[in-house]
Amino acid sequence: DVKVTQSSRYLVKRTGEKVFLECVQDMDHENMFWYRQDPGLGLRLIYFSYDVKMKEKGDIPEGYSVSREKKERFSLILESASTNQTSMYLCASSFAGGETGELFFGEGSRLTVL
Amino acid sequence: GQNIDQPTEMTATEGAIVQINCTYQTSGFNGLFWYQQHAGEAPTFLSYNVLDGLEEKGRFSSFLSRSKGYSYLLLKELQMKDSASYLCAVLDSNYQLIWGAGTKLIIKP
């Protein structure tokens, strides 16, 4: 089974702190994604990556950056956390060229910024 | 703009049948997905439709009408474990997934 592991299930940070969210997948997937999930809204894409050292902005990249130094690892960075970044963050991965686009998700990281 | 609409919440009885609708307006279409997400857990893939018609997979079926921009997920013989949110998502012309807000399904005994 594909496993996507996110480093922290729950985090509490203060405004202005730097936050790292890490995601590791064990199925050699080329594609990796970071979403945030908020009540009443669909999943919103923050950043995605189709290959090592490659990144593309999603729909809401402002206030976030990412890093993909190894194929299996995709990190989301909040340089200076703000209260409006309180959310559930979901990492996902998929095969390149997979026509079904099936995503495999991690359990999520619930971030609270005070 | 791109838009996916699905009901916010539905309630059904154990053992019954429920249909969760999804309508979409997107720039292009390369398939429609349904995912299940239990509270506090990761979404998991349920189904994928790219051609019109009904796809059946055990107790779950998914229907697509591309001309109407419409899909539904049909759950039969409901069980308490089916209580979850069901997410509809469309793959647009750029092969980007556009997500609905999800439908929370509550199953009552």
Side-chain angles (χ1 to χ4, degrees):
Chain A
D1 283 351
V2 174
K3 191 164 180 63
V4 180
T5 304
Q6 294 184 226
S7 55
S8 305
R9 290 296 304 274
Y10 301 94
L11 303 93
V12 180
K13 299 291 182 181
R14 296 198 178 277
T15 301
E17 280 192 270
K18 192 169 187 176
V19 182
F20 291 90
L21 299 178
E22 294 210 312
C23 175
V24 178
Q25 49 92 6
D26 66 359
M27 282 300 291
D28 204 34
H29 285 168
E30 291 82 6
N31 304 334
M32 296 189 75
F33 307 81
W34 274 107
Y35 287 92
R36 63 178 284 175
Q37 185 175 35
D38 299 290
L41 300 176
L43 292 176
R44 291 183 290 168
L45 183 63
I46 304 171
Y47 268 97
F48 60 100
S49 170
Y50 290 148
D51 202 351
V52 176
K53 296 192 184 295
M54 176 271 180
K55 59 186 177 184
E56 294 285 345
K57 293 180 179 179
D59 299 319
I60 52 164
E62 297 78 19
Y64 303 95
S65 62
V66 291
S67 172
R68 192 158 181 209
E69 296 297 317
K70 294 184 178 181
K71 189 176 185 180
E72 68 272 17
R73 189 178 298 268
F74 192 36
S75 301
L76 180 69
I77 303 144
L78 289 67
E79 292 289 341
S80 178
S82 62
T83 54
N84 63 12
Q85 291 178 310
T86 292
S87 186
M88 170 69 84
Y89 291 88
L90 289 168
C91 175
S93 68
S94 69
F95 286 111
E99 61 177 20
T100 68
E102 179 182 351
L103 296 179
F104 297 86
F105 285 89
E107 295 283 339
S109 298
R110 184 167 293 281
L111 172 66
T112 301
V113 182
L114 302 175
Chain B
Q2 307 205 89
N3 196 51
I4 310 274
D5 285 319
Q6 50 181 133
T8 303
E9 187 174 296
M10 299 181 71
T11 302
T13 304
E14 190 177 16
I17 299 172
V18 71
Q19 178 175 310
I20 302 173
N21 296 326
C22 171
T23 58
Y24 63 88
Q25 292 176 307
T26 57
S27 56
F29 178 85
N30 282 299
L32 185 142
F33 299 82
W34 286 96
Y35 281 78
Q36 180 189 59
Q37 186 179 23
H38 286 101
E41 297 183 10
T44 54
F45 172 81
L46 285 178
S47 67
Y48 169 72
N49 294 67
V50 67
L51 299 176
D52 289 351
L54 188 69
E55 296 276 346
E56 297 185 76
K57 194 184 293 185
R59 293 189 300 114
F60 291 11
S61 303
S62 56
F63 172 83
L64 174 67
S65 169
R66 288 172 297 171
S67 62
K68 295 181 179 178
Y70 168 70
S71 172
Y72 67 74
L73 181 69
L74 191 71
L75 292 72
K76 302 177 184 177
E77 301 169 14
L78 286 170
Q79 301 175 9
M80 297 303 292
K81 68 178 181 179
D82 297 330
S83 291
S85 289
Y86 292 85
L87 313 180
C88 174
V90 170
L91 202 60
D92 71 7
S93 56
N94 294 318
Y95 289 90
Q96 298 299 318
L97 274 173
I98 311 301
W99 294 84
T103 299
K104 182 178 181 181
L105 178 63
I106 300 167
I107 310 296
K108 295 187 174 180

